Amino acid sequence: QFVGSHAQMFKGLLKAYGPAVLELFQPFLTAFSTEAHVPGRESSDVYMGKHCLAAEIVGGLVRGHKYWGPEDQKKAQDMVTQAITSVMSNTETESFGVWAACLRFSVYDRHPRDLGWLTTLLFDNILPPSGGLGTGSLLACKRLVLVKPVLKELAWRGSPLHR
């Protein structure tokens, strides 16, 4: 289960120590993004633990990288994009709630202008590429579940989401 206080701790680490901490998280996030996410290969607890840790790091990273310079922000955004793209392309359903909570934490009380890169990533990839082997509707549902908390959280801000 996603724990907001853990994500807040990662945000604090990133704020206090800057981009140097990013290099400590990069190997884990890169391995998480590139490995095959098949729950049958490891126990469910280990599998969900990896998802929870990755989601908490991503949540802290989205909220904590705003204190950095533009080059370091871009590097952080690329890492987050890689992790979220990996999650969005995975058809398993076990970690839906974890990542939805992560995205809600990431956008909570933030202006859409500051999250344009994230909302663009999510909204441009809602529908999976056609021609899949029957996984299209499952992927579309998962992606909609991931976008829902972002829409709910940013809905009151109105028109910037439509640009």
Side-chain angles (χ1 to χ4, degrees):
Q1 183 167 344
F2 179 86
V3 180
S5 60
H6 293 173
Q8 195 68 30
M9 176 198 65
F10 287 120
K11 174 192 170 191
L13 285 171
L14 293 162
K15 180 180 177 182
Y17 296 104
V21 177
L22 187 62
E23 294 181 19
L24 299 174
F25 298 143
Q26 188 169 10
F28 173 76
L29 287 177
T30 301
F32 174 81
S33 299
T34 57
E35 72 184 21
H37 295 290
V38 181
R41 292 188 179 172
E42 52 197 11
S43 75
S44 181
D45 291 341
V46 171
Y47 179 77
M48 284 305 293
K50 286 181 181 180
H51 275 271
C52 288
L53 179 58
E56 289 161 358
I57 291 171
V58 165
L61 195 52
V62 171
R63 294 193 67 89
H65 84 286
K66 66 183 175 185
Y67 302 105
W68 302 346
E71 293 171 4
D72 294 325
Q73 284 185 359
K74 178 67 175 138
K75 198 182 307 182
Q77 289 171 3
D78 290 343
M79 286 178 62
V80 169
T81 298
Q82 184 181 17
I84 291 176
T85 302
S86 171
V87 168
M88 290 180 79
S89 65
N90 186 1
T91 58
E92 65 82 24
T93 58
E94 196 174 8
S95 64
F96 271 29
V98 171
W99 286 99
C102 167
L103 292 171
R104 183 179 185 283
F105 174 85
S106 298
V107 300
Y108 178 77
D109 204 22
R110 300 277 308 274
H111 196 279
R113 179 186 59 236
D114 301 330
L115 298 168
W117 63 275
L118 182 60
T119 56
T120 300
L121 168 70
L122 293 171
F123 296 155
D124 287 351
N125 293 306
I126 288 177
L127 297 176
S130 60
L133 300 172
T135 59
S137 61
L138 183 60
L139 276 174
C141 287
K142 180 175 183 177
R143 291 172 181 186
L144 288 171
V145 166
L146 293 175
V147 169
K148 181 182 173 184
V150 174
L151 283 174
K152 282 180 80 173
E153 198 58 49
L154 299 178
W156 67 271
R157 292 164 183 90
S159 64
L161 285 178
H162 303 294
R163 295 184 184 164

